[in-house]
Amino acid sequence: LTAEDNLEFYGRVYRIPITERKARIRELLERFGLWERRSDRVGEWSRGMKQKLAVARSMINRPSLLFLDEPTAGLDPVAAAGLRDILEQLVSDEGMTVFLTTHNLSEAEKLCSSVGVINRGRLVTVGPPGNLISVDGTEHAEIRCGKVSEAVTARLQAMHGVRRVRSDTAGYDIEIEPSASLAPLIRLLVDAGVDVEEARREKTSLEDAFLTLMKEEE
């Protein structure tokens, strides 16, 4: 079947009136960037295009709840990003709820307003990604700098808001409280005569929080 035939078939299965059906098919194919290829046989399409059509087909009858299982699995980064953008826009425009099953935690963090973590068939936790990420209440500061003494490292460790200091030949990985400022750490190093090349703050990701939860479950 062609792309248009596919959606026509499912529109008729859902008994959508012909005028509404034709308009909906065009709307979805245009939304997913497939309108110009509507007369192509889908069997000759790339996986990414087939995936887009599959999602469009599931939306033909304007469902209020949509279950998607790994919708971006096997897609290249560009196709996956495009499909995520379309899903986000459709949810916003049509007010539907999407129940997404995924092992891609970065995707879940970007798309989902609520995340549930399942381990061995048991729901471990559920809540907004931000709440899950802040479970351990830490962030990371990465500072690339010149060689430092043990005395300077000890002074960093003693500073307010610092939980742990790890050092290597390239600099520091410092666990800090979310409310802690990076400026005093840099100032201490500069005042101690250390050449600071780079400093950046990294928030805990959903993947970090997930791994922490899995360790707690062991």
Side-chain angles (χ1 to χ4, degrees), residues 88-160:
E88 204 165 16
Q89 191 62 50
L90 279 167
V91 167
S92 173
D93 292 349
E94 303 200 8
M96 72 173 66
T97 297
V98 174
F99 193 103
L100 177 70
T101 303
T102 181
H103 290 88
N104 187 333
L105 297 175
S106 174
E107 183 169 270
E109 187 174 347
K110 290 174 183 174
L111 284 178
C112 299
S113 57
S114 183
V115 173
V117 176
I118 296 175
N119 184 31
R120 298 174 186 175
R122 186 174 67 85
L123 185 63
V124 176
T125 187
V126 63
N131 289 4
L132 271 60
I133 288 170
S134 62
V135 166
D136 63 356
T138 61
E139 292 184 2
H140 286 264
E142 191 174 302
I143 302 175
R144 302 292 93 185
C145 59
K147 189 175 181 180
V148 294
S149 66
E150 291 184 7
V152 172
T153 302
R155 287 171 62 192
L156 279 174
Q157 180 67 70
M159 293 191 71
H160 176 72

Side-chain angles (χ1 to χ4, degrees), residues 33-104:
L34 301 174
W35 178 248
E36 299 302 321
R37 305 291 297 274
R38 63 188 180 280
S39 298
D40 292 357
R41 291 192 179 190
V42 176
E44 300 169 1
W45 277 8
S46 67
R47 180 176 181 135
M49 292 174 66
K50 288 178 181 178
Q51 197 81 318
K52 285 183 179 181
L53 183 65
V55 176
R57 189 175 64 201
S58 68
M59 293 180 167
I60 190 73
N61 64 326
R62 301 181 189 276
S64 57
L65 175 63
L66 180 64
F67 287 83
L68 295 177
D69 184 15
E70 302 277 6
T72 60
L75 302 188
D76 64 72
V78 174
L83 184 53
R84 282 195 297 268
D85 289 343
I86 292 169
L87 284 173
E88 204 165 16
Q89 191 62 50
L90 279 167
V91 167
S92 173
D93 292 349
E94 303 200 8
M96 72 173 66
T97 297
V98 174
F99 193 103
L100 177 70
T101 303
T102 181
H103 290 88
N104 187 333

Side-chain angles (χ1 to χ4, degrees), residues 2 5 52-53 103 123 126 148 174 182 191 206 215-216:
T2 67
D5 290 339
K52 285 183 179 181
L53 183 65
H103 290 88
L123 185 63
V126 63
V148 294
I174 305 172
L182 204 57
D191 290 346
L206 185 59
K215 286 178 182 177
E216 291 173 355

Side-chain angles (χ1 to χ4, degrees), residues 162-196:
V162 173
R163 290 192 173 184
R164 189 193 311 180
V165 176
R166 286 189 288 259
S167 63
D168 55 34
T169 55
Y172 288 105
D173 176 24
I174 305 172
E175 283 187 16
I176 57 177
E177 302 281 353
S179 59
S181 172
L182 204 57
L185 308 184
I186 299 170
R187 190 179 304 117
L188 186 153
L189 291 170
V190 172
D191 290 346
V194 177
D195 293 327
V196 177

